[in-house]
Amino acid sequence: MMNKELSVPVMSFWPSVYNRICDQTKLLEYRRRFPKNCEYAYMYISSPVKAICGIVYFGKKYDLEEWKKEYSYDSEIIKRIDKYLDNYKYAYEIKAIQKIKPITLKSLRENNDGFVAPQSYLLLNNFPELAKYIKSQEEFIDEVITNDLVDLLPNNICL
């Protein structure tokens, strides 16, 4: 059996989205594109935070167009999906989040020439020195926050 290489991105999040993930009110992450074989990502929190503050762990990947077929009987869900389809194509379950001591934009730039905060995401697979630096700075805060995803669908679709 061939061993698949995991994609490890640094994904950009707004502070409000990061907070909703931490307080477990956001259980699905929507994106236009996700890296292949992505099980987790470092979370870069945009302005005013400007730091990598966590690691988000993903579960199952969903295609919004597939949801439209699966939930075609529910007009409210279809309306919500249609609204999201303007900007997103996929959703990933958020299985858990691990907060880490912030790795500031300033320190990322000082220790990695040319570092630019990602608009959507950047793959650490393509930046081995940056990956090594982030790993060396990784300091867990508190326990892992684990989500109960048993009754995730359809109630949490496109909220």
Side-chain angles (χ1 to χ4, degrees):
M1 188 158 102
M2 192 178 283
N3 197 2
K4 67 177 181 181
E5 182 184 5
L6 287 182
S7 295
V8 181
V10 174
M11 289 187 163
S12 190
F13 294 85
W14 293 324
S16 59
V17 171
Y18 173 74
N19 292 334
R20 288 181 54 226
I21 292 171
C22 289
D23 71 17
Q24 300 177 287
T25 57
K26 181 173 172 55
L27 301 174
L28 291 161
E29 176 57 23
Y30 297 89
R31 299 273 166 153
R32 185 169 287 141
R33 293 180 305 132
F34 269 101
K36 285 184 169 59
N37 303 322
C38 180
E39 294 179 3
Y40 69 96
Y42 286 95
M43 302 177 77
Y44 177 83
I45 313 309
S46 60
S47 187
V49 178
K50 297 183 186 174
I52 295 174
C53 294
I55 302 169
V56 61
Y57 297 91
F58 297 116
K60 188 173 177 189
K61 179 180 179 181
Y62 299 97
D63 183 311
L64 273 61
E65 289 290 351
E66 292 300 315
W67 275 346
K68 277 186 76 165
K69 293 174 195 161
E70 187 174 344
Y71 298 104
S72 60
Y73 61 87
D74 189 321
S75 62
E76 281 308 307
I77 291 175
I78 296 303
K79 272 190 233 170
R80 294 192 329 237
I81 293 171
D82 282 340
K83 208 155 71 174
Y84 269 58
L85 275 169
D86 290 342
N87 297 305
Y88 309 110
K89 187 169 169 38
Y90 302 105
Y92 258 105
E93 295 173 343
I94 299 173
K95 289 195 323 190
I97 179 173
Q98 172 67 65
K99 292 182 183 180
I100 62 174
K101 184 178 166 206
I103 306 168
T104 65
L105 178 58
K106 184 177 189 282
S107 72
L108 287 162
R109 285 184 173 155
E110 285 171 354
N111 293 282
N112 300 276
D113 284 345
F115 178 81
V116 177
Q119 290 295 311
S120 176
Y121 68 84
L122 67 82
L123 276 181
L124 288 176
N125 306 55
N126 300 331
F127 301 93
E129 290 304 312
L130 176 60
K132 197 183 315 178
Y133 176 74
I134 291 171
K135 193 72 177 159
S136 76
Q137 299 300 302
E138 187 181 281
E139 190 179 318
F140 297 152
I141 299 173
D142 302 326
E143 298 295 314
V144 173
I145 301 166
T146 305
N147 292 321
D148 177 1
L149 302 175
V150 173
D151 294 321
L152 180 67
L153 302 178
N155 297 338
N156 288 282
I157 290 177
C158 299
L159 295 178

